[in-house]
Amino acid sequence: MTGNLSSLKHQVDVFKLKPFPTMLDCGGITAAAYNVPKNAKFHLVVIDGEGKTAYSASQGWTWSSGPDAGKFIHHTQVEKSLKKFPGMLYDVAPPTDMAQAAHLYDLQQFPLMEMELNKVMATSKKTENVAFADNLRKKVVEVRKQRAAQIEALSATNPVQAYRDAVTFVGAYLQCPEIAGLGKMVSKLKQDPKVSEELRAEAAYQTTLVPEMRKTTTEAVFNKKLKPMADGYMVAFGNTEFGKLVVTDAVEAHRLAIIAGTKH
């Protein structure tokens, strides 16, 4: 819960999570779905193609011996799962040259997919490669249009989530016809009182509570400094969804993590 985009990028590099898509779990929904302990500051989970947990630990362990010595265990579990469940999102079996592009499509990593397609097509313009590349590109356009329409519809019922989804969309598709419309929607939503208050709540959390949470390592300091700050934050932003659903859990999770660390 003390994570931000910078720490997320750092973890992606440390645990070599590319090209898998990554996100900040601001609402704690993903953590709850995979039973991540509430007092965990960090947890790495791999779910296989059957939806079963293939790896779950508070750090990235490596194999100490054997043929995979030195490799991250979560990497070998991912590789094992990919061999058993190679991908289901495209409806035509990929030619050998297009296996990596198909994999990137499965991961919804469309810019990387496009780079891979261009690389293959530069050296091997076989009929089957051209047909498969055209099929993937067509599907990306369909996914993009469908997602943009969903976000626009969401703005009428849940402007806060629509704003967040629109910002994510614009970041994922740097150049596409839908960006202009969503960009206007984002500008309009910023003027919505509920959206602007949620954004203020998120910004205040990152600038006031998160730095203090990172420094707070004992229960005494928690009670003396962090708790009063958190109480003050809730006075100002306790009526926001971010305050009620995220910050309350974040502060409590931090307290539990401190207690667990002290016991060990």
Side-chain angles (χ1 to χ4, degrees), residues 97-106 113 116-117 120 132 136:
D97 295 340
M98 290 291 181
Q100 179 62 11
H103 175 55
L104 292 169
Y105 174 86
D106 272 340
M113 181 206 77
E116 179 66 17
L117 289 177
V120 173
F132 190 78
L136 284 192

Side-chain angles (χ1 to χ4, degrees), residues 12 32 43 48 114-115 232 256:
V12 168
H43 218 72
D48 68 16
E114 186 61 34
M115 290 173 59
L256 293 174

Side-chain angles (χ1 to χ4, degrees), residues 113-221:
M113 181 206 77
E114 186 61 34
M115 290 173 59
E116 179 66 17
L117 289 177
N118 291 334
K119 185 174 74 173
V120 173
M121 297 303 292
T123 58
S124 182
K125 290 188 177 181
K126 300 176 185 176
T127 302
E128 61 267 31
N129 287 347
V130 173
F132 190 78
D134 289 344
N135 183 44
L136 284 192
R137 284 169 173 152
K138 179 182 177 181
K139 286 184 173 297
V140 169
V141 172
E142 292 172 353
V143 168
R144 198 183 66 218
K145 288 182 177 179
Q146 182 183 40
R147 184 62 184 137
Q150 289 173 341
I151 294 172
E152 289 181 3
L154 185 63
S155 66
T157 58
N158 191 337
V160 175
Q161 190 59 47
Y163 174 87
R164 291 177 177 140
D165 289 353
V167 169
T168 300
F169 184 99
V170 171
Y173 304 101
L174 299 179
Q175 293 181 337
C176 73
E178 292 78 17
I179 282 185
L182 287 179
K184 292 179 181 178
M185 190 191 80
V186 165
S187 297
K188 183 179 179 181
L189 287 176
K190 276 186 176 180
Q191 307 307 314
D192 184 294
K194 186 173 182 180
V195 174
S196 61
E197 188 67 3
E198 290 291 333
L199 296 179
R200 287 182 60 232
E202 292 184 32
Y205 170 68
Q206 290 292 341
T207 57
T208 60
L209 291 184
V210 169
E212 196 62 38
M213 289 167 75
R214 288 177 178 151
K215 293 187 294 183
T216 303
T217 58
T218 68
E219 193 171 7
V221 175

Side-chain angles (χ1 to χ4, degrees), residues 59-82:
Q59 60 182 296
W61 294 100
T62 58
W63 292 103
S64 59
S65 60
D68 294 317
K71 290 183 67 174
F72 278 121
I73 297 175
H74 65 272
H75 279 188
T76 60
Q77 295 303 92
V78 167
E79 292 165 3
K80 180 180 178 181
S81 180
L82 288 174

Side-chain angles (χ1 to χ4, degrees), residues 36-48:
V36 174
K38 244 193 180 302
N39 63 348
K41 290 185 177 180
F42 175 83
H43 218 72
L44 186 58
V45 181
V46 175
I47 308 299
D48 68 16

